[in-house]
Amino acid sequence: QVRLVESGGGVVQAGGSLRLSCAASGSIVSINRMGWYRQAPGKQRELVAVIFGSTNYADSVKGRFTISRDNAKNTVYLQMNSLKPEDTAVYYCNAAIITIVGTHGDYWGQGTQVTVSP
């Protein structure tokens, strides 16, 4: 089995920073795309950032968030600076993974809550 475990969420004041981490483990051969999504109450899930050769960000977070990965650790990070109340959401880690038995699929973490108070 493949697991994605997020950490780093919490409650911060506007203007503060958080760093989210997501570590993948299990029968992994390779990880292609890794990314972060978020879902705020009453809203659709949206892409925040992805990394796979290059990086891509939602317009709402450009210049404030930075996605990075450590391939040796199968870990992806999301550094979030200058946080705004509208960043409040559950953040989900996602990865496209090839397993040791040859399966391909998208895997998701359990989500971590980020709350930004005004």
Side-chain angles (χ1 to χ4, degrees):
Q1 285 188 321
V2 174
R3 302 174 184 174
L4 298 179
V5 180
E6 300 116 326
S7 62
V11 180
V12 298
Q13 295 185 41
S17 298
L18 287 172
R19 190 177 81 147
L20 306 183
S21 299
C22 173
S25 62
S27 302
I28 298 170
V29 172
S30 64
I31 301 177
N32 293 321
R33 172 183 48 80
M34 300 190 80
W36 292 92
Y37 293 75
R38 68 185 182 188
Q39 187 165 19
K43 297 183 178 180
Q44 291 186 321
R45 183 187 65 181
E46 65 175 347
L47 175 68
V48 177
V50 294
I51 182 166
F52 178 44
S54 60
T55 57
N56 201 284
Y57 298 90
D59 288 341
S60 60
V61 306
K62 285 182 178 178
R64 300 188 298 119
F65 292 9
T66 302
I67 188 171
S68 61
R69 64 191 291 178
D70 185 336
N71 291 330
K73 297 180 179 180
N74 289 330
T75 299
V76 63
Y77 305 93
L78 185 68
Q79 179 67 46
M80 305 185 294
N81 298 326
S82 302
L83 283 162
K84 304 175 180 179
E86 53 262 42
D87 294 318
T88 295
V90 177
Y91 285 70
Y92 296 93
C93 177
N94 170 260
I97 295 174
I98 300 173
T99 73
I100 198 168
V101 296
T103 60
H104 302 237
D106 278 353
Y107 293 83
W108 294 88
Q110 79 285 356
T112 186
Q113 177 71 47
V114 172
T115 300
V116 184
S117 62

